[in-house]
């Protein structure tokens, strides 16, 4: 199986049609889609074999792309400053979200896992798409994440609609996840 790597513009067109992409992030290959397209998000969950109750991470090119969904006023000013100081970068924060964030994104939580990516291929995809994207590691649940394209499961690749050109940022692990209210590291 071969894939012609897509430019951010062509990949964004796939997303706008409800497609699912594999794309490189800071440390691992990810799966992404339009976060407000329920059928696309559910497809990502099926590909990963991940329960919807866990929620999904969304990435953005800048904080403004996330602002409509997040309730910054529910955080202490010092925590908000800490979050913004960590972006762009491989830092995902669970931030209180607005009631219109669908449960297929937030799962059973009142927060949204959000990150402003510093990885240029992923940021370029968000800019071309015009907003945030679902970002979850491109592996089946409980399987190790792919750190390079060659490590991607061919059966998983057969279920996506395209692959964004690029390589991961070379980090040794997926993004750190922290609770936005307490600052506690949930995944290091």
């Amino acid at each position: 199986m071969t894939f012609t790597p897509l430019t951010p513009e062509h990949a964004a067109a796939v997303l706008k049609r409800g497609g699912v992409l594999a794309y490189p992030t800071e440390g691992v290959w990810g799966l992404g889609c339009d976060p407000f397209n329920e059928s696309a998000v559910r497809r990502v969950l099926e590909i990963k074999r991940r329960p919807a109750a866990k929620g999904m991470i969304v990435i953005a090119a800048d904080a403004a792309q996330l602002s409509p969904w997040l309730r910054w006023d529910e955080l202490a000013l010092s925590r908000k400053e800490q979050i913004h100081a960590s972006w762009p970068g491989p830092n995902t924060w669970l931030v209180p979200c607005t009631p219109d964030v669908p449960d297929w994104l937030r799962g059973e939580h009142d927060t949204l896992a959000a990150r402003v990516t510093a990885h240029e291929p992923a940021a370029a995809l968000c800019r071309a798409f015009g907003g945030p994207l679902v970002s979850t590691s491109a592996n089946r649940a409980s399987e190790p994440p792919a750190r390079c394209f060659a490590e991607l499961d061919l059966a998983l690749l057969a279920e996506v609609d395209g692959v964004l050109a690029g390589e991961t940022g070379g980090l040794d692990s997926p993004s750190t996840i922290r609770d936005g209210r307490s600052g506690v590291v949930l995944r290091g």
Side-chain angles (χ1 to χ4, degrees):
M1 168 185 317
T2 60
F3 281 94
T4 301
L6 300 173
T7 65
E9 294 73 23
H10 287 108
V14 170
L15 295 171
K16 289 176 183 177
R17 290 192 305 267
V20 172
L21 293 176
Y23 63 94
T25 69
E26 292 92 340
V28 300
W29 273 80
L31 292 177
C33 66
D34 176 350
F36 276 97
N37 183 324
E38 182 178 4
S39 63
V41 175
R42 297 221 182 265
R43 218 174 120 214
V44 168
L45 291 167
E46 287 172 23
I47 291 169
K48 276 195 67 79
R49 299 184 177 117
R50 176 184 172 90
K54 285 187 166 187
M56 303 293 279
I57 294 174
V58 295
I59 63 166
D62 56 57
Q65 289 185 330
L66 296 168
S67 287
W69 300 351
L70 304 179
R71 296 178 118 168
W72 293 111
D73 59 324
E74 292 187 21
L75 297 178
L77 179 59
S78 62
R79 186 74 63 222
K80 181 179 171 183
E81 289 170 348
Q82 181 184 15
I83 293 169
H84 284 288
S86 76
W87 288 345
N91 302 292
T92 299
W93 290 87
L94 302 180
V95 180
C97 60
T98 61
D100 59 330
V101 172
D103 63 353
W104 65 79
L105 285 181
R106 60 181 165 69
E108 57 189 18
H109 313 285
D110 66 346
T111 57
L112 180 64
R115 177 170 84 248
V116 175
T117 183
H119 188 57
E120 185 49 34
L125 180 57
C126 290
R127 286 191 299 271
F129 180 67
L133 305 172
V134 163
S135 184
T136 185
S137 57
N139 58 290
R140 309 284 189 202
S142 79
E143 296 293 322
R147 300 196 190 300
C148 64
F149 185 80
E151 292 178 1
L152 285 167
D153 180 336
L154 293 178
L156 184 141
L157 277 176
E159 296 185 56
V160 303
D161 303 305
V163 175
L164 179 69
E167 297 181 19
T168 64
L171 296 182
D172 292 335
S173 60
S175 67
T176 299
I177 299 178
R178 291 183 177 93
D179 183 284
R181 291 181 174 113
S182 68
V184 169
V185 174
L186 305 171
R187 178 179 81 185

